Structures are given as structure tokens and as C-alpha cells.
Amino acid sequence: NLDGPSKIIFEALDDLVCDVAKMYHLQHKIDITPQLQHMWKETFHAWMMESLWSRTSNLPSMDKYLEVGMISIGAHILVLHATSLGCQTLPSEMLGPINGQYENITKLLMATTRLLNDIQSYQKEREVGKMNYTLLHFNENPRGQIEDSIDFVKEILGDKKKEFLENVLMDGFNDMPRTMKLLHLSCLNVFHMFFNSCNLFDTNAAILEDIMRAIYIPLIDQEEQTTPILKPLPTILPPQEKKKIEIAKVNA
């Protein structure tokens, strides 16, 4: 009985879950629809809980906030959806059983990305009345400074990142396929790119600047460069060799 934006959102999400489950079933002959549905259900529940906290001004404990916040950040959805499509050999249990217990490496990714966000976004979230791990620590320690709360969260973040990297790079911590571990690491790197930029990605100028940096940065400052760099003349190749090079480029 949904209508309007709610109906559109639900149908798009249902299509996504069905598509991912279908592709996984074609590879492994296993239906992971219940796992995917549970993953999204608990994420929506976390968003609703955070919304309730904001509307009622009820402050949760720091432990309760992190329990909900590490789900609401959505990192597990990103990495586990990608993993289900990218790993040839993957036990369905690693996608998260119905009781919500994820692999330790996944839980560490969820907590780490939440803390990365909360270190950088506390000012904006304080203005809109949202909960934040840094702000909760500051409220519980009113005699301190906000910088003390940031340092406190950074220390927890450092410990969790160390444990996370041990799980990714060292043997003996879990039975997760290496491809899945590296996807977890790539996901953390993406969050680092955003939140280590002081959350400046709210502006178009900052986004464009970082995109340009990712694509090309000259090693020599243009103002310091006094002599022009001469580009070599193009090599004239016979048609057969030119065709081979073009085919190689396409293959690459």
C-alpha cells in the first residue's frame, strides 16, 4: 500500500536485491535473498533509530550509538553486495547470517568508517541536531575540549584500523577469500578519501579539485618551469604495425 516516493524507493531497492540475488544464484546455485533483505532491513531500522534520537533529543550511550551507527553508515552493504558479485568462491554465510552476525573483518570496516565520519562531520551534524560519536563523548565530558573528544575517537579508530589491517593482510585471522579481503580494504580507502579531506566534498569546488588530483598533477610547478618541454615527434609506423598497436590498446 505504498505510494509516492516511498513506493519508488521500495521498488528500486527490491529490484536491486532481486538482481544481485539472481546473479549470485547463477554462479553458486544458492539463494541469498534472505541475507540481502535482512541487510537492508537492519540498515533502514538504524536510520529510523537515528532519526528518532534526533527528533526526541534522547541521547543514547556511546556503545548503543556505535552499535547502530556502524550499520547506518552502510559500508557493509557496499562491500558485501560487491563481494557477492565479484568472488567466484564465497560461502553465503560470509554475507551475514540472518541473526546479523557478520565476519569480524566486516564489523571492523563498519565501525572504522563510522568513526572516520564522526571525527570530521561533528560540526555539521551538531548544527542539524544529529547524533555523533565525538559529540556524545564531549557531552559526557563537559570539562574537556572538543579536541580532547576528537583525540579520544582517533585513538579508538587507530586501534580498530590496526586490527582491520591485520585481518586483511595477515593469515590465520579468518577464512575469507583474498579477493573479498581486498574489497574490504578498497572500501576503507574510499571512505578515507572522503573523510580525510575534512568532509569538504559538500562543495563542488572541492570535488572537482580532488578529481583533477586523481587524474593528473604536474610534478613541476608551471610558474617555476622556465624551459619548455619539447614533445617527441610521432613515430610513423607501417599500417600493419599501427593496427597491432590499436588492437593491443583495445585489449588493455
Side-chain angles (χ1 to χ4, degrees):
N1 297 321
L2 294 175
D3 58 13
S6 298
K7 183 178 179 63
I8 295 173
I9 292 172
F10 176 82
E11 290 181 346
L13 181 57
D14 188 49
D15 287 344
L16 172 65
V17 168
C18 291
D19 287 345
V20 174
K22 180 179 179 181
M23 286 185 279
Y24 187 91
H25 187 269
L26 289 174
Q27 293 180 7
H28 306 283
K29 308 303 179 185
I30 299 174
D31 183 17
I32 61 170
T33 303
Q35 285 94 328
L36 298 178
Q37 289 175 336
H38 173 78
M39 199 184 305
W40 279 104
K41 178 181 178 181
E42 67 174 0
T43 302
F44 271 89
H45 179 75
W47 291 338
M48 292 176 64
M49 181 63 67
E50 290 182 340
S51 177
L52 179 63
W53 289 337
S54 297
R55 293 198 310 268
T56 60
S57 300
N58 288 332
L59 295 180
S61 67
M62 294 179 65
D63 290 340
K64 181 62 178 178
Y65 169 81
L66 188 57
E67 178 186 338
V68 173
M70 61 189 287
I71 296 175
S72 68
I73 194 72
H76 63 305
I77 288 183
L78 296 175
V79 72
L80 294 179
H81 276 56
T83 297
S84 65
L85 302 178
C87 295
Q88 295 298 322
T89 56
L90 175 67
S92 60
E93 293 79 12
M94 290 189 176
L95 294 176
I98 299 301
N99 63 10
Q101 293 299 316
Y102 295 100
E103 291 286 318
N104 189 47
I105 185 175
T106 303
K107 291 191 288 186
L108 287 168
L109 174 67
M110 295 160 68
T112 302
T113 51
R114 166 50 66 189
L115 295 176
L116 276 171
N117 173 83
D118 286 13
I119 289 174
Q120 297 293 353
S121 64
Y122 69 91
Q123 290 178 319
K124 186 177 75 172
E125 290 174 345
R126 177 164 52 185
E127 293 173 358
V128 298
K130 292 182 63 177
M131 295 296 103
N132 182 289
Y133 198 74
T134 303
L135 295 177
L136 285 174
H137 180 269
F138 183 62
N139 288 332
E140 293 182 5
N141 300 271
R143 295 184 179 181
Q145 303 293 326
I146 188 64
E147 289 77 13
D148 299 328
S149 296
I150 294 173
D151 291 338
F152 173 81
V153 180
K154 283 183 176 180
E155 184 176 351
I156 298 176
L157 174 61
D159 292 340
K160 290 192 177 296
K161 282 167 59 177
K162 180 181 178 181
E163 186 180 355
F164 173 81
L165 291 174
E166 288 175 346
N167 276 261
V168 172
L169 302 176
M170 298 178 66
D171 296 330
F173 283 89
N174 53 66
D175 298 326
M176 186 176 288
R178 178 169 174 79
T179 304
M180 188 174 182
K181 292 181 181 180
L182 294 179
L183 277 172
H184 279 71
L185 182 59
S186 296
C187 186
L188 179 61
N189 288 337
V190 170
F191 276 86
H192 262 294
M193 182 189 73
F194 282 104
F195 297 129
N196 279 358
S197 301
C198 299
N199 215 24
L200 295 177
F201 287 85
D202 295 331
T203 65
N204 291 332
I207 294 176
L208 291 175
E209 181 181 352
D210 274 60
I211 290 175
M212 292 176 65
R213 287 181 179 179
I215 296 175
Y216 173 68
I217 294 182
L219 297 178
I220 302 176
D221 192 336
Q222 296 297 328
E223 295 179 357
E224 297 177 357
Q225 184 175 316
T226 55
T227 57
I229 298 178
L230 299 178
K231 295 183 179 180
L233 293 175
T235 303
I236 301 177
L237 298 174
Q240 297 84 353
E241 294 297 323
K242 185 176 181 182
K243 185 175 181 181
K244 289 180 180 179
I245 292 176
E246 291 175 349
I247 293 175
K249 287 182 178 180
V250 171
N251 290 337

